[in-house]
Amino acid sequence: MISPEQFRFFSELVKQHSGIALGKGKEYLIESRLNELAKVLGLKDLDALYRKAKAAMTPKLKEQIIEAMTTNETYFFRDQHPFDALQKSVIPELMKQNQGKKQLRFWSAACSTGQEPYSIALLIAEHFPALLSWKTEILATDISKKAVEKGRAGRFTQVEVNRGLPITLLIKYFKQQGAFWIIDEKLKKMIRFKQMNLLSPFVGVGTFDVIMCRYVLIYFDQQTKKAILDKLVKQLNPGGYLFLGATETPIGLPPFMKRTSFGRATCWKKEG
Ligand SMILES: C[S@@+](CC[C@H](N)C(=O)[O-])C[C@H]1O[C@@H](n2cnc3c(N)ncnc32)[C@H](O)[C@@H]1O
């Protein structure tokens, strides 16, 4: 059983470095995830991990603890509606708007193992081939190094490709290699994977026409959520769109961020 002191220690560490708020009731989650990590590190249990972390915390151990506490659930074309909105309305509108500079930039902020940015790349390859000759860029970032590395490899298991990916796209854009499916090199090249913490300043990432920040703000407290939303809005180009998870409501977005619906998808457009 995790002690109150161990719970306080680990939840504060995780909150401070990732924003993930593990309040009362999350004892079981910490216990199960960190017991697992302890085993991987060759330690007896969570208690041994706690003693090690208290006595000699290293940046590597901190990263491993935080990584263990992230939830990386994701799948291709998650929720479908945002991708329908991109295909039918958002990308055609942005292509008209950006016709002059022939540049379109997407950011999958909290991309997990890559299914979200690859869904954008697949949609572009399938429906907007003209964008392949534009400066089309997809930045994909996540705090989890492991998740980012997996995304960068573009290598998915059968179970992963069975989740959300239409078979036609699997056949057209993936090659089977043993037990894995490897995504087409052309699509891989559209995406830049980078380990990045949403709590850190967004330096050197540039600005974007579409930002997807889905199913990550739910793990933060209101203050952290608002601070991250403020920073994301600054990275959006005028006329650009912000997508959150279907169940997520933004707090304190400025009035120039106009709530917009396309079919069953809701997003926020930066006016101006
Ligand atoms: C549930 S996944 C969502 C993935 C994808 N956006 C989707 O909707 O399918 C949440 C991701 O947020 C990442 N995450 C958690 N805290 C983060 C932080 N402070 N900075 C960046 N990523 C973070 C986790 O590592 C995890 O991969």
Side-chain angles (χ1 to χ4, degrees):
M1 262 283 279
I2 188 167
S3 72
E5 165 51 23
Q6 290 169 342
F7 177 70
R8 192 194 56 76
F9 174 79
F10 286 120
S11 55
E12 276 179 12
L13 179 87
V14 172
K15 170 88 196 295
Q16 187 187 350
H17 296 280
S18 71
I20 298 171
L22 297 158
K24 287 265 163 273
K26 298 283 183 194
E27 289 84 352
Y28 167 76
L29 189 70
I30 298 189
E31 203 177 328
S32 64
R33 298 264 183 96
L34 295 189
N35 260 318
E36 213 172 290
L37 174 64
K39 300 260 152 59
V40 171
L41 298 178
L43 300 165
K44 186 167 161 266
D45 54 15
L46 175 122
D47 194 45
L49 179 68
Y50 169 72
R51 277 184 275 116
K52 185 181 164 89
K54 278 286 266 194
M57 179 61 93
T58 60
K60 173 106 199 262
L61 183 58
K62 201 191 301 166
E63 185 173 277
Q64 286 169 315
I65 292 170
I66 288 158
E67 190 140 62
M69 293 315 306
T70 60
T71 299
N72 305 121
E73 162 70 1
T74 187
Y75 48 91
F76 289 98
F77 297 98
R78 187 175 194 169
D79 296 346
Q80 193 56 50
H81 307 302
F83 296 96
D84 291 343
L86 284 181
Q87 183 190 329
K88 296 196 185 117
S89 310
V90 173
I91 294 180
E93 178 187 315
L94 291 170
M95 280 177 78
K96 265 192 216 142
Q97 187 181 301
N98 293 7
Q99 186 61 43
K101 59 178 179 178
K102 294 209 177 332
Q103 184 182 49
L104 208 50
R105 299 195 78 227
F106 299 81
W107 183 9
S108 168
C111 63
S112 188
T113 44
Q115 282 85 335
E116 184 174 274
Y118 282 121
S119 299
I120 302 173
L122 285 160
L123 190 141
I124 289 172
E126 195 59 7
H127 300 284
F128 304 97
L131 285 182
L132 300 177
S133 60
W134 282 32
K135 272 180 75 186
T136 303
E137 295 166 347
I138 304 166
L139 175 68
T141 63
D142 199 282
I143 194 171
S144 163
K145 190 172 168 205
K146 257 201 222 154
V148 167
E149 278 169 2
K150 180 167 160 47
R152 191 178 287 129
R155 215 168 76 118
F156 296 96
T157 63
Q158 186 68 53
V159 172
E160 287 165 340
V161 298
N162 282 350
R163 296 188 70 199
L165 186 66
I167 185 86
T168 45
L169 297 185
L170 177 66
I171 291 165
K172 196 164 167 188
Y173 295 104
F174 290 75
K175 271 205 191 80
Q176 199 164 15
Q177 205 175 78
F180 295 97
W181 290 90
I182 318 289
I183 197 152
D184 192 300
E185 203 54 38
K186 258 205 315 276
L187 270 76
K188 231 193 243 186
K189 282 205 178 108
M190 291 169 70
I191 307 175
R192 184 161 69 93
F193 282 94
K194 190 175 179 308
Q195 185 187 14
M196 193 176 139
N197 189 341
L198 288 169
L199 296 190
S200 307
F202 299 159
V203 278
V205 294
T207 57
F208 300 89
D209 301 292
V210 175
I211 297 179
M212 285 193 154
C213 185
R214 305 192 308 146
Y215 300 106
V216 60
L217 297 180
I218 41 171
Y219 298 105
F220 303 150
D221 64 20
Q222 298 290 58
Q223 197 187 344
T224 311
K225 208 186 275 193
K226 167 134 187 21
I228 293 173
L229 278 170
D230 283 350
K231 291 198 297 176
L232 289 173
V233 166
K234 289 204 179 89
Q235 302 307 125
L236 258 188
N237 290 331
Y241 288 89
L242 171 69
F243 285 85
L244 303 176
T247 50
E248 298 175 288
T249 41
I251 31 153
L253 275 184
F256 57 80
M257 290 298 293
K258 285 274 176 285
R259 190 178 191 278
T260 310
S261 293
F262 295 110
R264 291 175 63 187
T266 298
C267 52
W268 285 264
K269 179 176 184 175
K270 186 170 181 175
E271 300 217 308

